[in-house]
Amino acid sequence: EVPCTTIDDELDRLQATCAVPRFMKLDLEGGELHALMGARRMLAHEQTFVVFENGRQESADVYGYNCRDWFDFMRSVKYDVYDLFARPFGPGEWTKHEIPWYFIAVPSSHVNWAHFMDREYPSLLDATAARCRSSRARAGRDLMKRLMARLWS
């Protein structure tokens, strides 16, 4: 038997020994919505930047939710969702196959994150794309280093 918990419960348990995460990356093969639901308090109060994979309808079919459930949850915790290329992601994009399965969710009311997604992140993507001509792997590492530096500054 494997014990089951939530992100919120683990943060409550570890409260005295660790800081609340400013950044969270999820890749749970479709289970991201349920994991995020288990982090509701953290998301609603801590302004965490979240990067995650989501197979949209394929994941929803496996895990028993739908497009409306997914976006209702994001609205309930007041998060805006963008695709990997910093384009707003809403219900109208749910079934579009040309959109990657990687997403970024940021608190709607957090001015710094909104500015980052609107101004800084697209510039990082452009700079990384320009570098890809010479070395794809190095450019990907550079993007992650710059993103992490920005998140922890």
Side-chain angles (χ1 to χ4, degrees), residues 108-147:
S108 303
S109 62
H110 197 288
V111 175
N112 289 338
W113 288 139
H115 175 79
F116 176 74
M117 290 307 299
D118 291 341
R119 302 274 187 248
E120 294 180 47
Y121 185 70
S123 298
L124 286 172
L125 288 176
D126 289 344
T128 301
R131 288 182 175 176
C132 280
R133 293 181 193 99
S134 63
S135 171
R136 290 181 191 270
R138 189 180 77 233
R141 285 192 305 273
D142 288 350
L143 172 63
M144 287 309 295
K145 286 179 187 174
R146 291 164 59 193
L147 177 59

Coordinates of all heavy atoms in Angstrom, one line a residue, residues 108-147:
S108 N -3.2 35.5 -11.6 CA -3.8 36.5 -12.4 C -3.5 37.9 -11.9 O -3.3 38.9 -12.6 CB -5.4 36.4 -12.5 OG -5.7 35.1 -13.0
S109 N -3.5 38.0 -10.5 CA -3.3 39.3 -9.9 C -1.9 39.7 -9.7 O -1.6 40.8 -9.2 CB -4.1 39.3 -8.6 OG -3.5 38.3 -7.7
H110 N -1.0 38.8 -9.9 CA 0.4 39.1 -9.6 C 1.1 39.9 -10.8 O 1.4 39.4 -11.8 CB 1.2 37.8 -9.4 CG 2.5 38.0 -8.7 ND1 3.6 38.5 -9.3 CD2 2.9 37.7 -7.4 CE1 4.6 38.5 -8.4 NE2 4.2 38.0 -7.3
V111 N 1.3 41.2 -10.6 CA 1.8 42.1 -11.6 C 3.1 41.6 -12.2 O 3.3 41.7 -13.4 CB 1.9 43.5 -11.1 CG1 2.5 44.5 -12.1 CG2 0.5 44.0 -10.6
N112 N 4.1 41.2 -11.3 CA 5.4 40.7 -11.8 C 5.2 39.5 -12.8 O 5.9 39.5 -13.8 CB 6.3 40.4 -10.7 CG 6.7 41.6 -9.9 OD1 6.7 42.7 -10.4 ND2 7.1 41.4 -8.7
W113 N 4.4 38.6 -12.4 CA 4.2 37.4 -13.3 C 3.6 37.8 -14.6 O 3.9 37.3 -15.7 CB 3.5 36.3 -12.7 CG 4.2 35.6 -11.6 CD1 3.7 35.2 -10.4 CD2 5.5 35.1 -11.6 NE1 4.6 34.5 -9.6 CE2 5.8 34.5 -10.4 CE3 6.6 35.2 -12.5 CZ2 7.0 33.9 -10.0 CZ3 7.8 34.7 -12.1 CH2 8.0 34.0 -10.9
A114 N 2.6 38.7 -14.5 CA 1.9 39.1 -15.8 C 2.9 39.9 -16.7 O 2.9 39.6 -17.9 CB 0.7 40.1 -15.4
H115 N 3.7 40.7 -16.1 CA 4.7 41.4 -16.9 C 5.7 40.4 -17.5 O 6.1 40.5 -18.6 CB 5.5 42.4 -16.0 CG 6.6 43.1 -16.7 ND1 6.4 44.1 -17.6 CD2 8.0 42.8 -16.7 CE1 7.6 44.5 -18.1 NE2 8.5 43.7 -17.5
F116 N 6.1 39.4 -16.7 CA 7.1 38.4 -17.1 C 6.5 37.7 -18.3 O 7.2 37.5 -19.3 CB 7.4 37.4 -16.0 CG 8.3 36.3 -16.4 CD1 9.6 36.5 -16.6 CD2 7.8 35.0 -16.6 CE1 10.5 35.5 -17.0 CE2 8.6 34.0 -17.0 CZ 9.9 34.2 -17.2
M117 N 5.2 37.3 -18.3 CA 4.7 36.5 -19.4 C 4.4 37.4 -20.6 O 4.6 36.9 -21.7 CB 3.3 35.8 -18.9 CG 3.5 34.7 -17.9 SD 4.7 33.4 -18.5 CE 3.9 32.8 -20.0
D118 N 4.1 38.6 -20.4 CA 3.8 39.5 -21.5 C 5.0 40.1 -22.2 O 5.1 40.3 -23.4 CB 2.9 40.7 -21.1 CG 1.5 40.2 -20.7 OD1 1.1 39.1 -21.2 OD2 0.8 41.0 -20.0
R119 N 6.1 40.3 -21.4 CA 7.2 41.0 -21.9 C 8.5 40.2 -21.9 O 9.2 40.1 -22.9 CB 7.5 42.3 -21.1 CG 6.3 43.2 -21.2 CD 6.3 44.1 -22.4 NE 5.3 45.1 -22.3 CZ 4.2 45.1 -23.1 NH1 4.1 44.3 -24.0 NH2 3.3 46.1 -22.9
E120 N 8.9 39.7 -20.7 CA 10.2 39.0 -20.6 C 10.3 37.6 -21.2 O 11.2 37.3 -21.9 CB 10.6 39.0 -19.1 CG 10.8 40.4 -18.5 CD 11.1 40.3 -17.0 OE1 12.0 39.5 -16.7 OE2 10.5 41.0 -16.3
Y121 N 9.3 36.8 -20.9 CA 9.3 35.4 -21.4 C 9.4 35.4 -23.0 O 10.2 34.6 -23.5 CB 8.1 34.6 -20.9 CG 8.2 33.2 -21.2 CD1 9.1 32.3 -20.7 CD2 7.3 32.6 -22.1 CE1 9.2 31.0 -21.0 CE2 7.3 31.3 -22.5 CZ 8.3 30.5 -21.9 OH 8.3 29.1 -22.2
P122 N 8.5 36.1 -23.7 CA 8.6 36.1 -25.2 C 10.0 36.5 -25.6 O 10.6 35.9 -26.6 CB 7.6 37.1 -25.6 CG 6.5 37.0 -24.6 CD 7.4 36.9 -23.3
S123 N 10.7 37.5 -25.0 CA 12.0 37.9 -25.3 C 13.0 36.7 -25.1 O 13.9 36.5 -25.9 CB 12.4 39.1 -24.5 OG 11.6 40.2 -24.8
L124 N 12.8 36.0 -24.0 CA 13.7 34.9 -23.7 C 13.5 33.8 -24.8 O 14.5 33.2 -25.3 CB 13.4 34.3 -22.4 CG 13.9 35.0 -21.1 CD1 13.3 34.4 -19.9 CD2 15.4 35.0 -21.1
L125 N 12.3 33.6 -25.2 CA 12.0 32.6 -26.3 C 12.7 33.0 -27.6 O 13.3 32.2 -28.3 CB 10.5 32.4 -26.5 CG 9.8 31.7 -25.4 CD1 8.3 31.6 -25.7 CD2 10.3 30.2 -25.2
D126 N 12.5 34.3 -27.9 CA 13.1 34.8 -29.2 C 14.6 34.6 -29.1 O 15.2 34.2 -30.1 CB 12.7 36.3 -29.4 CG 11.3 36.5 -29.8 OD1 10.6 35.5 -30.1 OD2 10.8 37.6 -29.6
A127 N 15.2 35.0 -28.0 CA 16.7 34.9 -27.9 C 17.1 33.4 -28.0 O 18.1 33.1 -28.6 CB 17.2 35.5 -26.6
T128 N 16.4 32.6 -27.4 CA 16.7 31.1 -27.4 C 16.5 30.6 -28.8 O 17.4 29.8 -29.3 CB 15.8 30.4 -26.4 OG1 16.0 30.9 -25.1 CG2 16.1 28.9 -26.5
A129 N 15.5 31.0 -29.5 CA 15.3 30.5 -30.9 C 16.4 30.9 -31.8 O 16.9 30.2 -32.6 CB 13.9 31.0 -31.4
A130 N 16.9 32.2 -31.6 CA 18.0 32.7 -32.4 C 19.3 31.8 -32.1 O 20.0 31.5 -33.0 CB 18.3 34.1 -32.1
R131 N 19.5 31.4 -30.9 CA 20.6 30.6 -30.5 C 20.5 29.2 -31.0 O 21.5 28.5 -31.2 CB 20.9 30.6 -29.0 CG 21.4 31.9 -28.5 CD 21.6 31.8 -27.1 NE 22.2 33.0 -26.6 CZ 22.4 33.2 -25.3 NH1 22.1 32.3 -24.4 NH2 23.0 34.4 -24.9
C132 N 19.3 28.7 -31.3 CA 19.1 27.3 -31.7 C 19.7 27.0 -33.0 O 20.0 25.8 -33.3 CB 17.6 27.0 -31.8 SG 16.8 26.7 -30.2
R133 N 20.0 28.0 -33.8 CA 20.6 27.7 -35.1 C 22.0 27.1 -34.9 O 22.5 26.3 -35.7 CB 20.7 29.0 -35.9 CG 19.3 29.5 -36.3 CD 19.4 30.8 -37.1 NE 18.1 31.4 -37.2 CZ 17.6 32.4 -36.5 NH1 18.4 32.9 -35.6 NH2 16.4 32.8 -36.6
S134 N 22.7 27.5 -33.8 CA 24.0 27.0 -33.6 C 24.0 25.7 -32.7 O 24.9 24.9 -32.9 CB 24.9 28.0 -33.1 OG 24.5 28.5 -31.8
S135 N 23.2 25.7 -31.7 CA 23.2 24.6 -30.8 C 21.9 24.4 -30.0 O 21.6 25.2 -29.1 CB 24.4 24.7 -29.8 OG 24.3 23.7 -28.8
R136 N 21.1 23.5 -30.4 CA 19.8 23.3 -29.8 C 19.9 23.0 -28.3 O 19.2 23.5 -27.5 CB 18.9 22.3 -30.5 CG 18.5 22.7 -31.8 CD 17.7 21.6 -32.4 NE 17.4 21.8 -33.8 CZ 16.3 22.5 -34.3 NH1 15.5 22.9 -33.4 NH2 16.2 22.7 -35.6
A137 N 20.8 22.1 -28.0 CA 20.9 21.6 -26.6 C 21.4 22.8 -25.7 O 20.8 23.0 -24.6 CB 21.8 20.4 -26.5
R138 N 22.4 23.5 -26.1 CA 22.9 24.6 -25.3 C 21.9 25.7 -25.2 O 21.7 26.2 -24.1 CB 24.2 25.1 -26.0 CG 24.9 26.2 -25.1 CD 26.2 26.7 -25.7 NE 25.8 27.7 -26.7 CZ 26.2 27.8 -27.9 NH1 27.0 26.9 -28.4 NH2 25.7 28.7 -28.8
A139 N 21.1 25.9 -26.2 CA 20.1 27.0 -26.1 C 19.0 26.6 -25.1 O 18.6 27.5 -24.4 CB 19.5 27.2 -27.5
G140 N 18.6 25.3 -25.1 CA 17.6 24.9 -24.1 C 18.1 25.0 -22.7 O 17.4 25.5 -21.8
R141 N 19.4 24.7 -22.5 CA 20.0 24.8 -21.1 C 20.1 26.3 -20.8 O 19.8 26.7 -19.6 CB 21.4 24.2 -21.1 CG 21.3 22.7 -21.0 CD 22.7 22.1 -20.7 NE 23.7 22.5 -21.6 CZ 24.1 21.9 -22.7 NH1 23.4 20.8 -23.1 NH2 25.0 22.4 -23.5
D142 N 20.4 27.1 -21.7 CA 20.5 28.6 -21.5 C 19.2 29.1 -21.1 O 19.0 29.9 -20.1 CB 21.0 29.3 -22.7 CG 22.5 29.1 -23.0 OD1 23.2 28.5 -22.1 OD2 23.0 29.5 -24.0
L143 N 18.1 28.7 -21.8 CA 16.8 29.2 -21.5 C 16.4 28.8 -20.1 O 15.9 29.7 -19.3 CB 15.7 28.7 -22.5 CG 14.3 29.0 -22.1 CD1 14.0 30.5 -22.1 CD2 13.3 28.3 -23.1
M144 N 16.6 27.6 -19.7 CA 16.3 27.1 -18.4 C 17.1 27.9 -17.3 O 16.5 28.3 -16.3 CB 16.5 25.6 -18.2 CG 15.4 24.8 -19.0 SD 13.7 25.3 -18.6 CE 13.6 24.9 -16.9
K145 N 18.3 28.1 -17.5 CA 19.2 28.9 -16.6 C 18.6 30.3 -16.4 O 18.5 30.8 -15.3 CB 20.6 28.9 -17.0 CG 21.4 27.6 -16.8 CD 22.8 27.8 -17.3 CE 23.5 26.4 -17.3 NZ 24.8 26.5 -17.9
R146 N 18.3 30.9 -17.5 CA 17.8 32.3 -17.5 C 16.4 32.4 -16.8 O 16.1 33.3 -16.0 CB 17.8 32.9 -18.9 CG 19.2 33.1 -19.3 CD 19.4 33.4 -20.8 NE 18.6 34.5 -21.3 CZ 18.4 34.8 -22.6 NH1 18.9 33.9 -23.5 NH2 17.7 35.9 -22.9
L147 N 15.6 31.4 -17.1 CA 14.3 31.3 -16.5 C 14.4 31.1 -15.0 O 13.8 31.9 -14.2 CB 13.4 30.2 -17.1 CG 12.1 30.0 -16.6 CD1 11.2 31.2 -16.6 CD2 11.4 28.8 -17.3

